[in-house]
Each structure stands twice: as C-alpha cells, then as structure tokens.
C-alpha cells in the first residue's frame, strides 16, 4: 500500500493560529473538527487565519513537548462563507487594516458577500462611514495579495517545493505569478526568485513538458550561463556549456548543441571565438564586456594637452596643503593630469588615500568637477571622511532601481542622461564587476577622466568579470603600482603582516604585540567562547572598544566557527532577549530590536530618510550594515538604521537580511573596522586561501585578533588558489589598442 492511501483525513474550521512562519509557511493552528473536538495541526498553511475551513490529509504524531498533533501532508483550504465565519476571519487580523471594529462594520453591511466585495468591488467599502477611499483600497489590496499568495503557495507546495519561492514569485510577478508559473516553470530559476533548476524542472516535467522539449533544454542552457555568473564568469566555453547542460538534464550533448545553435540564431545567446575559446555569453554580459572594452580603449588613447605648468601646480598644492609630495605622488599627479584613464593599485599603508586626496586637489585646482564613488556604502563613507568631500555608492550615483516588472536593475543615468562631471574617482575598484563598470562608463561624459584605485591582491568581485585585474594586466592603460610602505605605517604589525601574507611568507603569529594578536585555540568550541568574551567583555572593558566598533569575520558561513553559529552566540551575549525588546521570528532566526543586521541583496526601491528628516532617498544595498531600531508586529514592519539612513521594511523583506555581528570575509570587502576578530578553523580549500586571509587582515584599522590554530593560518598562506574566470576584457582591450 502506498503512502497516500495510508493518510488519514480530518476537516473543520480554524479556531486560532498558535504560530506561523512567513518564510516557509510552517504553521501551528487549532482546528475545530466536524465532531466538535479541537485538535492541534502542524504543516504548511501560508496565510492561514481563523474562520477558514480545511480538509487536511496527514497522520497523528506525538510531540515530546506539545503532545498529540496532526501532521498535515496536503490540505484543501476554503475561505469562510457565512457572515459569522467571515467576521471571525477578518477580526483575527488576517487582513491588514481590519480589526474587530472594522470587521463588524463591513460584515454588517455586506454579510456573506463581504469577501467578494473586498476582492472585486472594493469601492463599495468606502460607502461605509469611517472607511475612506484610501483605506478601502488598502483593505482590498491586502486581501487580494493574501488570496493571490495563498493560491500560489498552495500550487507550489503541491509540487513539494519551498513556499518561499512562491512569496518571491508574487513579489515580482504580482497577480500574474500563478499563470506565468504554469506557462513557464523555469522562471523559478530567475535571479530574483532563487529557485534551483532541479526544482523548476521537476515541476515542468510533472506539468507535462517533454524531456526533449526545446523549451526545457533551452532553459537548462540559459540557467547554466546565469548560474555561472555567480562564479564570476562572463562566458562559458561552448564545449563545457554543452557538457554541463547535458549532465544537468540527463540528455546527450548533440541535443544540447542543436538547442545552443537555435538560441544563438534567435539572439538569446551570444557566440564569439575570443580569448582562445568558443565563447557563449548571455546577451547582457556580452554587451557589457564589449562596450567596456571599447570605452576603456578610447580612454587609454586620450591625452590632455593641458597648458598648465605641472611644477607650478604642484608647488601651489604643496603650499596650500602643507605637505611635500614624494616622487611617486608627483608621478601619479602627472599621469592624472595628462591621461583620461589612470589605474592605481597598492596594498595597505602604501598611500592610496594620499593619492586620492592629491588628485582631488589637483582637479579642483584645474576647475574640474569631480565625483567620488565606491562600490559599497561603507567604502563611500570612508572615502567621504578621508577626502572631506561627499562620496556615494556607484549604484546611488547612477540612480539604480528595479524596472517595472521588478526583475531587472536599470540605471536612470546613462547615455541619454549622463553624469554632470569632468572626472570620476572610483575607490575599491577591484570590487566592481563588468556589469556595474559598464553602467558607470555609459553614464560618464565622453571627455570625463576616470581614476580607479584599489588593491589588486584583494578578492575579486562577487559578480562576473575581473575588471581591475584585466586593466592592470592589459599593459595598454596607465598604471601606477604603489609598493613602498609609508613611514607612519611602518610600526603597524597589521600592515607588515598583511604584506608578508601577500608575498606568501609566514609571519610570527606567536608575537602578540602592537595591533596584531593571535589567541591560539585548538577546539572550535573554545574559539567560540573566546570570541564571545572578546566582544562582550575584554575589548569593551580593557581596551574601551565598544561592540559596535568590533567586527567578527569568518571565511565561511557553516560550522561552529561559521557566521551563522557565531551570530547566534553573539546575539545571546550582545543583545539578549528582554521585556523591553520586541522581536520577530523569521524562519529559524530571531530578529530583535538592537540587533546588528546586514542587507544581503540590493533593494533599489526602499525609501530611507536621515534621523533629522532633512534628507531622504531610495536604495539600501548588498553589504550595508545597520541596527534594528524598532519592530512593529501590528504593521508587520521592521525599522533599521544604516549609518544614519533609516529605512522601514515589511516582514517579508527579512529574507534579504541577516545578522552581522559576524560576517564572511567576502562580505567585508570595501569596509574597514576599528577592531577585527578573525575566526579560523580548517575548511574548504576553495575558501581557505591566501587572498581570503589577506583581505581579512587588511579590514582592521587599529586591532586584529586571530582566534584559532596557527596551522590554519599558515595553510591559508600556502594556498595560493585563484579560481579561473572566463572573461575576455583584457584580450579585447589589447586588440582594440593594437597590442595583438
């Protein structure tokens, strides 16, 4: 006998909701069955509410704490039909903006037709005294969303897929989500939805799409290309693309090759023999790479015939700033004066910031309007503090926002509406991927100068391409490599050890002095206890470094010393539960007032304002760190302060947020912290690399503490693993400049 025939069936009406999880739809409810008995039911019931009827299939279980429960496998859910049940449904707060009093007014007026009115004739709600046109529309919108999400989630859950996918689907497709999904299940794999190909494929096959369907094969090809952008690739060699796709869907490479040809013919895939590869691109990445190469090539050839006397200018600058430029700084200023494009690279303490200040002063002396920008909010803030001039993120500078469909980022500043500037100085250039670089170049006036500053030895960008490295290796653009450590930085063990690590040398970790310390711990559990004590007691007490100035870093998310576990433990000691702190359970994570959190996806549309209310804007970006100011269960909102930008999020946006007492080294790029605690334990060779260790060490300004085993650090130094990225920017640039 199969499992389905073994399932029991109960039916009844929901009395109340004991617990619900918005992320995965998991709900604990009390159901009054047809016999009048009230039972506890657990299962996936998105947006379940008192008053609705259910027919549930499942089995009885005995919970060790909560006793006898009915565990649901499937459910048929019916909205209430009688006036009394509808009142109970609405009075329970299932619809935003409707409480017991408003529910009574509406049901008294429309009776058993209430839900139909709310869904299809919301204007009639405004006929009720006390309900404005705006409130009527809000009530209808909330109910329509709930009904749409619930239908969608039930459809998704029926295929055994994660309910969170339905929530994202509805967010970006709205009322069209269900029809769109039925028509093309592979939209689940879109970047804004985050479903795996396996999940989408299972649904598609069950809905009747044939294994050898061109739609299926084409979806698999495009998925592999999109998926590999997350590994930094701009393209995939055709042979490799064909092989991995065939393996993914269990078909022969011949079938895949035929589909690739068709995708090329209809423009959904771009093909070119370049960099020694038969390269297959997504169209948007092909356009980004080729345009960036053309623009860089043009800029690299451009020379300005400034009549200004450089020696005279430098003398004026030195006098006004009270400094004497070193020969390398004078060389940088000479190149910045004469060239449209300049790339500056150097490790910590080598004078990158001094160079930025000098170039900015030079451009001001020349009367050039200069914009300062960086890929992250923290990097932009640091740039502002060091230069005394406003700097913004690249996304904000370009006016990034979602398109009308909500599934693609567009920039308001482009060729049709260019930036008003004569020069752009871009800091942390190694973090900029090909798409963002292309967008910036398109928005810059043709004659505008570009100075890119960064550290070539930092980790590559999270997105596709490796622009900074390609420019450095091209040998066709002006490059300055800063190698000398400035005298004022020579005493810093952070800087000295960082350079040793970068050269592949083993620093003496037993030398605990100055600003660099190692606390040797051989067991992960002991390391965790040490880290929590450092953050909560030792550094705040003995060194007067408050917790908000301390950042814990780890190479990985998983394990005892991964960020997930460290954040859980640090929350317990740094922000424990209290009667005066409201909190929200989302999935298995508790968000609490006072928590340090990080935005992990770009949200271009979210509104923010400063604490004084004198400035406002849109956009909170991947990597922005803030503090939870307040949680409002009634309005289902959470307010977060991101370094003075205060934004209010709906609970459904918590999927884009995580705790940030501990963050991965990759997430720390572009940021500096007063004190860094680095958690080290053996892990994947892909993560435990020299570049990861070097990046982690260079995040600390005043204090670095390594917690873990010396051997782990030395093994990371010896692991000079650098993953190959398929990108042809360097080759294209050299060809355009006649270098090959």
């Amino acid at each position: 006998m199969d499992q389905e025939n073994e399932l029991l069936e109960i039916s009844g009406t929901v009395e109340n909701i004991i617990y619900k999880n918005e992320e995965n739809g998991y709900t604990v409810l009390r159901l009054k069955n047809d016999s009048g008995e009230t039972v506890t039911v657990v299962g996936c019931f998105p947006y379940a509410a008192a008053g609705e009827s259910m027919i549930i299939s499942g089995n009885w279980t005995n919970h060790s704490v909560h006793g006898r429960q009915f565990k649901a496998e499937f459910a048929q859910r019916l909205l209430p039909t009688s006036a009394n049940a509808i009142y109970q449904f609405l009075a329970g707060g299932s619809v935003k903006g409707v409480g017991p009093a408003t529910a009574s007014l509406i049901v008294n007026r429309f009776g058993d037709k209430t839900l139909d009115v709310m869904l299809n004739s919301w204007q009639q709600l405004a006929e009720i005294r006390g309900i404005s046109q705006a409130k009527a529309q809000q009530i209808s919108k909330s109910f329509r969303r709930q009904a749409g999400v619930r239908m969608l989630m039930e459809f998704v859950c029926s295929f055994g897929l994660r309910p969170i996918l339905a929530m994202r689907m509805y967010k970006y497709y709205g009322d069209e989500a269900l029809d769109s999904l039925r028509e093309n299940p592979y939209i689940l794999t879109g970047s804004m939805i985050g479903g795996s190909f396996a999940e989408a494929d299972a649904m598609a096959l069950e809905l009747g799409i044939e294994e050898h369907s061109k739609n299926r094969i084409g979806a698999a090809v495009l998925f592999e290309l999109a998926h590999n952008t997350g590994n930094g690739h701009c393209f995939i060699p055709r042979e490799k693309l064909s092989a991995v796709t065939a393996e993914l869907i269990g078909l022969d490479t011949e079938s895949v090759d035929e589909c690739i040809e068709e995708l090329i013919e209809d423009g959904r895939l771009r093909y070119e023999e370049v960099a020694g590869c038969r390269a297959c691109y997504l169209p948007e990445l092909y356009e980004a790479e080729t345009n960036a190469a053309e623009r860089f090539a043009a800029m690299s050839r451009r020379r300005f015939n400034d009549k200004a006397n450089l020696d005279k200018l430098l003398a004026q600058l030195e006098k006004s700033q009270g400094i004497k430029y070193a020969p390398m700084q004078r060389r940088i200023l000479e190149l910045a004066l004469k060239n449209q494009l300049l790339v500056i690279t150097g490790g910590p303490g080598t004078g990158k910031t001094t160079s930025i200040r000098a170039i900015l002063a030079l451009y001001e002396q020349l009367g050039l309007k200069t914009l300062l920008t960086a890929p992250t909010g923290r990097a932009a803030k640091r740039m502002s503090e060091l230069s005394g001039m406003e700097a913004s993120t690249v996304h904000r500078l370009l006016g990034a926002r979602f398109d009308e469909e909500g599934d693609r980022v567009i920039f308001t500043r482009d060729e049709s509406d260019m930036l008003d500037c004569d020069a752009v100085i871009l800091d942390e250039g190694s973090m900029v991927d090909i798409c963002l670089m292309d967008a910036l170049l398109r928005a810059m006036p043709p004659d505008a100068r570009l100075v890119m500053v960064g550290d070539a030895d930092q980790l590559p960008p999270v997105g596709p391409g490796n622009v900074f490295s390609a420019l450095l290796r091209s040998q066709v653009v002006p490059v300055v490599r800063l190698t000398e450590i400035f005298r004022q930085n020579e005493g810093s063990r952070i800087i000295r050890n960082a350079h040793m690590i970068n050269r592949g040398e083993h620093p003496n970790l037993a030398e605990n002095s100055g600003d660099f310390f190692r606390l040797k711990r051989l067991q992960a559990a002991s390391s965790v206890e040490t880290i929590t004590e450092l953050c909560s007691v030792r550094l705040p007490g003995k060194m007067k470094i408050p917790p908000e100035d301390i950042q814990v870093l780890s190479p990985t998310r998983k394990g005892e010393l991964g960020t997930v576990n460290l954040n859980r433990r640090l929350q317990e000691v740094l922000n424990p539960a209290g009667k005066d702190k409201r909190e929200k359970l989302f999935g298995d994570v508790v968000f609490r007032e006072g928590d340090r959190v990080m935005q992990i996806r770009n949200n271009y549309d979210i509104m923010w304002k400063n604490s004084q209310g004198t400035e406002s804007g849109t956009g909170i970006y991947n990597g922005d760190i803030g503090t939870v100011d307040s949680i409002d269960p009634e309005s289902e909102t959470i307010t977060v302060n991101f370094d003075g930008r205060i934004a209010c999020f709906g609970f459904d946006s918590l999927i884009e947020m995580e705790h940030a007492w501990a963050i991965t080294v990759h997430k720390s790029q572009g940021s500096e912290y007063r004190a860094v605690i680095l958690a080290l334990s053996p892990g994947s060779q892909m993560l435990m690399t020299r570049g990861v260790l070097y990046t982690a060490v260079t995040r600390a300004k005043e204090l670095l503490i390594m917690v873990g085993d010396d051997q782990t650090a030395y093994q990371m130094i010896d692991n000079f693993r650098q993953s190959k990225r398929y990108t042809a920017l360097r080759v294209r640039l050299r060809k355009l400049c006649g270098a090959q």
Side-chain angles (χ1 to χ4, degrees), residues 607-655:
M607 299 286 297
W608 60 262
K609 60 181 181 181
N610 65 6
S611 55
Q612 295 79 33
T614 57
E615 184 183 0
S616 62
T618 59
I620 299 294
Y621 304 114
N622 184 5
D624 286 351
I625 292 178
T627 303
V628 177
D629 275 354
S630 63
I631 295 174
D632 187 345
E634 186 173 339
S635 63
E636 298 187 348
T637 57
I638 178 169
T639 302
V640 184
N641 187 335
F642 295 94
D643 286 328
R645 293 172 299 149
I646 300 170
C648 185
F649 300 82
F651 282 169
D652 58 350
S653 295
L654 289 173
I655 188 66

Side-chain angles (χ1 to χ4, degrees), residues 438-489:
D438 174 54
L440 177 60
L441 292 171
R442 290 177 184 273
M444 289 177 58
D447 294 336
R449 306 169 193 241
L450 174 62
V451 179
M452 291 181 68
V453 184
D455 185 346
D457 297 309
Q458 296 283 350
L459 295 171
V462 175
N466 201 348
V467 177
F468 198 71
S469 175
L471 292 175
L472 293 173
R473 294 184 297 111
S474 72
Q475 299 181 326
V476 295
V477 304
V479 171
V480 177
R481 300 178 186 272
L482 301 173
T483 56
E484 183 181 354
I485 300 175
F486 276 56
R487 186 171 298 147
Q488 62 264 34
N489 298 316

Side-chain angles (χ1 to χ4, degrees), residues 1 141 166 170 191 205 262 325 395 397 548 621 682 725:
M1 185 178 292
K141 184 178 178 181
Y170 196 87
S191 60
L205 293 173
E262 292 186 11
Y325 290 126
H395 285 92
L397 183 71
E548 57 266 27
Y621 304 114
R725 294 193 168 197

Side-chain angles (χ1 to χ4, degrees), residues 272-533:
E272 184 179 348
E273 293 189 19
V274 64
C277 292
R278 301 167 68 204
C280 293
Y281 289 83
L282 290 172
E284 58 269 25
L285 285 176
Y286 179 83
E287 295 295 333
E289 189 176 90
T290 54
N291 179 72
E294 290 170 2
R295 186 64 189 271
F296 279 135
M299 295 175 80
S300 69
R301 294 189 292 264
R302 178 72 184 274
R303 300 290 183 273
F304 291 101
N305 297 315
D306 274 292
K307 297 179 181 179
N309 185 299
L310 182 62
D311 290 334
K312 185 178 179 180
L313 277 173
L314 293 182
Q316 292 172 342
L317 289 174
E318 288 177 335
K319 183 179 179 180
S320 64
Q321 297 185 7
I323 60 173
K324 182 73 175 176
Y325 290 126
M328 183 58 75
Q329 257 70 50
R330 295 179 71 89
R331 173 62 176 163
I332 287 172
L333 289 172
E334 181 182 0
L335 292 171
L337 178 66
K338 295 181 178 179
N339 294 279
Q340 188 178 11
L341 174 64
L342 175 62
V343 181
I344 303 170
T345 182
T350 57
K352 295 192 300 294
T353 300
T354 303
S355 300
I356 290 174
R357 287 190 188 126
I359 294 171
L360 185 58
L362 173 67
Y363 286 170
E364 287 178 347
Q365 193 84 0
L366 294 171
L368 302 180
K369 184 176 181 179
T370 306
L371 300 177
L372 303 183
T373 189
T376 68
R378 285 186 168 255
K381 184 181 179 183
R382 187 178 74 247
M383 201 179 186
S384 295
E385 293 168 349
L386 295 173
S387 67
M389 179 178 164
E390 183 183 359
S392 66
T393 65
V394 181
H395 285 92
R396 188 180 177 193
L397 183 71
L398 300 180
R401 62 178 178 84
F402 288 121
D403 63 7
E404 292 181 359
E405 287 74 34
D407 60 352
R408 189 171 66 89
V409 178
I410 59 175
F411 299 96
T412 56
R413 308 306 293 266
D414 55 19
E415 301 97 328
S416 64
D417 185 17
M418 292 184 177
L419 298 168
D420 180 19
C421 66
D422 301 303
V424 174
I425 300 177
L426 170 64
D427 198 11
E428 298 290 347
S430 65
M431 294 183 63
V432 181
D433 65 33
I434 189 65
C435 298
L436 190 58
M437 191 73 248
D438 174 54
L440 177 60
L441 292 171
R442 290 177 184 273
M444 289 177 58
D447 294 336
R449 306 169 193 241
L450 174 62
V451 179
M452 291 181 68
V453 184
D455 185 346
D457 297 309
Q458 296 283 350
L459 295 171
V462 175
N466 201 348
V467 177
F468 198 71
S469 175
L471 292 175
L472 293 173
R473 294 184 297 111
S474 72
Q475 299 181 326
V476 295
V477 304
V479 171
V480 177
R481 300 178 186 272
L482 301 173
T483 56
E484 183 181 354
I485 300 175
F486 276 56
R487 186 171 298 147
Q488 62 264 34
N489 298 316
E490 289 177 347
S492 168
R493 290 191 68 232
I494 291 175
I495 292 174
R496 192 163 70 248
N497 286 348
H499 285 274
M500 288 184 69
I501 291 167
N502 196 37
R503 293 192 299 266
E505 301 170 8
H506 290 192
N508 181 8
L509 298 179
E511 181 190 346
N512 282 335
S513 63
D515 55 7
F516 194 108
F517 294 84
R518 181 272 282 142
L519 300 180
K520 190 172 183 177
R521 301 290 186 271
L522 300 180
Q523 302 296 323
S526 177
S527 293
V528 172
E529 293 305 316
T530 298
I531 291 169
T532 56
E533 186 187 7

